[in-house]
Amino acid sequence: MKHYLASFAVGLLLFGAAQPTSAAVLERGPYLQTPTSASMVLKWRTDTPTDSVVNFGDAPTNLTSTVSTPTLTTEHEITVTGLAPDTRYYYSVGSSAETLSGGNSGQFFTTAPVPGTTKPTRVWIIGDSGTANASAAAVRDAYKTSTGSTVTDLWLMLGDNAYPDGIDSQYQAAVFDIYPDLLRKIPLWPTLGNHDGHTADSATQAGPYYDIFTLPTNGEAGGLPSGTEAYFSFDYGNIHFVNLESYETDRSPGGAMMTWLANDLAANDKEWVIAFWHHPPYTKGSHNSDTEGRLIDMRQNALPILESHGVDLVLSGHSHSYERSHLIDGHYGHSSTLTGAMVLDNGGGRETGAGAYDKPVGGTNAGAVYAVAGSSGKVSGGSLDHPAMFASISSLGSMILEVNGNRLDAQFIDESGNVDDNFTIIKGDDTTPPIINKTEADDASSVTVTYSEKVDVTSAQNIANYAIDNGVTISAATLAADERTVTLDTSALTEGVEHTLTVNNVDDIAGNTIAANSQSQFTFVVIQTKDFQDGVAPTTAYAGTRDAY
Ligand SMILES: [Fe+2]
């Protein structure tokens, strides 16, 4: 009532003065919801009720298209439709009386690509971010510095988005006041955490969480209609995203959510499957997936369905740490029941290390990576020793995911901007050529070259494919059992001289050829070693005292 009186009074002023006066204050947003290849939902809040107007166009100064609704409201929601896929639109929001925000280079939205097509896609992932404090701001700023001018396509928020109870004012502080510039240009996909659930009701889709977010119930953004905003799926290019509700929705095997999940995944034809929800199936952080019911339920009931339909990556929060698994499959029991057979690749998935995780296209039960990214607002310790994990890190931070065709790259970036973990999954045929990871002189007549991935034995052992400068000749090349390391027998190396190795025509096992004239430097250094032994005096050129112990 108070708002209506205020609006009426301002209206009288407008008529009386016949001059545009600022009639409303933008309190929230604009923010972007449910992106599709043809539409975008824009939402914002004003302090007084006005009508709703969105202007948009191909440049900040050319917002020639308009969508409006006459209803006076403080909770503005406009769905812009009829858009071109994978296209950037600049926009403004406001009322018929005034523009409140936009018409500048920082306010734009980008539609999703045509479903099924391939587009390099960048996703920012934060979990348990809702502290509204300096820690959340530091994580945000580290991400912004890291990403620079690179456009982020999507944003996942893994639950506990607004502490302590997910009420509207806490959402204002923890989401709208922390990320205002990002909300204007990156469509946000949230999931419900337990703290959000304090004031939300998933059964009726009521409460602040469900009021604030406009999420698909009818397959609007792809996937099988779920009938509820609590859980749903959506497509972005060649990625199928699944959002589950792990707090207060029935998690039982025959329940509506798990039944929908199985049907949704059976109908999916997108290359990548990425699932997210709040309660992690594997964690030894501030929560324990061996003892807590919701975590056990999701592991036992959702994972078999997801894995049998080829899920690639599962993202959760709840534990306020970063934990990232090996490539695993079929681990549904307590942590003590993890077997070697369930770990399909324990190398870490790094191309600079043991190599990317490889998966077949359309493979089922071919392995998935499970990540807990719940330290975007605080860290809370824990034993951090779940055996499924390759990395367990107690640092503030967030994840950046990049999917490009048959390749997925993920990073965990801490609040100082350091990349503390990374991994890569490559689907199907390998199209990445090998690179030289390092070259070292083992002794005065042999040099070891390590490639980023397994290489073809014939090309790797052909000495014509190698050259060393400064007159050093190569008499043999031998590929080790790991298929990544080649030892070159050389003419005598001179100590302290830096050499350059040049490699050509070495193929990986899929036939991709190393970049022409790939080079790597090495220096032969004689490492002086001497054994000191209790009670035995060094014999030569030793001026120190004898060890007395
Ligand atoms: Fe939580």
Side-chain angles (χ1 to χ4, degrees):
M1 179 53 95
K2 191 176 166 190
H3 282 172
Y4 281 98
L5 284 174
S7 174
F8 181 63
V10 169
L12 284 180
L13 281 174
L14 277 174
F15 278 112
Q19 254 192 6
T21 305
S22 185
V25 173
L26 183 66
E27 290 192 331
R28 171 177 295 186
Y31 57 108
L32 306 173
Q33 297 277 276
T34 308
T36 79
S37 58
S39 66
M40 187 72 70
V41 176
L42 290 77
K43 300 184 78 171
W44 69 98
R45 173 181 287 178
T46 50
D47 64 335
T48 56
T50 71
D51 59 358
S52 307
V53 176
V54 169
N55 294 312
F56 63 98
D58 61 4
T61 54
N62 191 41
L63 308 183
T64 53
S65 300
T66 298
V67 182
S68 62
T69 57
T71 311
L72 298 183
T73 182
T74 58
E75 305 298 329
H76 304 270
E77 176 171 341
I78 292 275
T79 303
V80 183
T81 59
L83 302 170
D86 193 17
T87 300
R88 178 186 293 196
Y89 294 90
Y90 295 88
Y91 72 97
S92 68
V93 303
S95 67
S96 52
E98 61 180 337
T99 295
L100 290 170
S101 173
N104 58 64
S105 61
Q107 188 159 314
F108 57 83
F109 62 79
T110 307
T111 49
V114 172
T117 60
T118 291
K119 174 202 171 183
T121 300
R122 188 174 176 87
V123 188
W124 187 40
I125 299 154
I126 58 175
D128 303 72
S129 54
T131 51
N133 64 14
S135 296
V139 170
R140 171 202 64 198
D141 292 342
Y143 151 75
K144 287 169 75 169
T145 300
S146 163
T147 203
S149 60
T150 306
V151 172
T152 299
D153 300 288
L154 298 175
W155 177 3
L156 307 186
M157 199 172 265
L158 300 176
D160 290 359
N161 312 315
Y163 289 107
D165 300 309
I167 65 174
D168 189 81
S169 61
Q170 291 158 2
Y171 261 96
Q172 184 69 37
V175 176
F176 296 104
D177 293 346
I178 290 275
Y179 313 105
D181 53 334
L182 301 176
L183 287 161
R184 286 186 198 112
K185 56 187 179 186
I186 312 172
L188 172 61
W189 288 104
T191 194
L192 182 99
N194 46 300
H195 287 270
D196 310 294
H198 290 175
T199 50
D201 181 48
S202 290
T204 58
Q205 299 160 66
Y209 174 90
Y210 290 103
D211 292 340
I212 289 166
F213 298 116
T214 298
L215 305 170
T217 61
N218 196 31
E220 291 91 334
L224 205 66
S226 66
T228 174
E229 291 182 285
Y231 55 86
F232 54 86
S233 62
F234 59 94
D235 295 327
Y236 195 91
N238 63 342
I239 313 168
H240 185 65
F241 287 92
V242 175
N243 183 348
L244 301 179
E245 203 281 86
S246 56
Y247 179 59
E248 58 190 24
T249 295
D250 181 5
R251 298 175 297 274
S252 64
M257 182 166 68
M258 296 303 168
T259 301
W260 166 83
L261 175 64
N263 292 333
D264 174 75
L265 292 175
N268 171 53
D269 61 359
K270 307 300 178 290
E271 183 172 359
W272 293 95
V273 177
I274 298 173
F276 62 106
W277 63 82
H278 184 65
H279 296 80
Y282 309 112
T283 184
K284 290 284 188 179
S286 49
H287 293 274
N288 184 346
S289 57
D290 285 347
T291 59
E292 298 177 41
R294 292 183 177 87
L295 291 67
I296 293 169
D297 288 348
M298 295 305 287
R299 182 174 67 246
Q300 292 185 341
N301 302 338
L303 266 51
I305 299 170
L306 285 159
E307 292 184 344
S308 69
H309 288 97
V311 69
D312 299 295
L313 177 63
V314 175
L315 302 160
S316 301
H318 201 41
S319 273
H320 303 146
S321 50
Y322 173 77
E323 299 169 272
R324 195 270 289 181
S325 78
H326 302 290
L327 189 76
I328 61 174
D329 180 72
H331 178 40
Y332 309 132
H334 287 188
S335 56
S336 62
T337 66
L338 182 73
T339 65
M342 297 170 186
V343 180
L344 306 187
D345 187 331
N346 70 353
R350 296 175 181 167
E351 290 187 322
T352 53
Y357 297 130
D358 291 317
K359 291 188 68 176
V361 172
T364 60
N365 293 99
V369 174
Y370 292 84
V372 179
S375 61
S376 305
K378 60 180 161 184
V379 290
S380 303
S383 61
L384 296 173
D385 58 353
H386 197 293
M389 298 300 168
F390 173 81
S392 298
I393 298 170
S394 183
S395 294
L396 291 167
S398 63
M399 289 182 74
I400 294 178
L401 195 66
E402 290 179 299
V403 179
N404 189 359
N406 70 335
R407 179 186 178 96
L408 179 155
D409 291 284
Q411 295 180 325
F412 175 71
I413 296 185
D414 69 23
E415 84 280 22
S416 303
N418 303 307
V419 178
D420 292 345
D421 182 40
N422 71 284
F423 63 91
T424 299
I425 304 174
I426 293 177
K427 282 282 185 76
D429 295 340
D430 173 12
T431 56
T432 309
I435 60 172
I436 302 172
N437 275 355
K438 63 177 178 178
T439 304
E440 290 177 320
D442 304 321
D443 54 45
S445 63
S446 72
V447 173
T448 302
V449 188
T450 307
Y451 294 103
S452 57
E453 58 179 318
K454 292 180 179 179
V455 289
D456 157 65
V457 61
T458 304
S459 63
Q461 295 195 149
N462 183 351
I463 59 172
N465 292 338
Y466 300 91
I468 298 174
D469 61 357
N470 296 326
V472 175
T473 58
I474 300 166
S475 58
T478 308
L479 182 64
D482 68 2
E483 299 178 61
R484 294 176 55 214
T485 309
V486 172
T487 300
L488 304 173
D489 296 346
T490 67
S491 57
L493 300 169
T494 305
E495 187 185 359
V497 175
E498 184 180 78
H499 290 283
T500 297
L501 170 74
T502 303
V503 179
N504 278 290
N505 300 318
V506 169
D507 297 340
D508 66 20
I509 53 178
N512 302 298
T513 304
I514 196 167
N517 296 314
S518 291
Q519 293 192 323
S520 178
Q521 275 73 40
F522 66 94
T523 303
F524 170 51
V525 178
V526 177
I527 299 172
Q528 303 288 347
T529 61
K530 194 171 289 293
D531 293 329
F532 293 93
Q533 191 178 341
D534 279 354
V536 177
T539 52
T540 55
Y542 183 73
T545 53
R546 265 171 64 176
D547 184 356
Y549 297 96

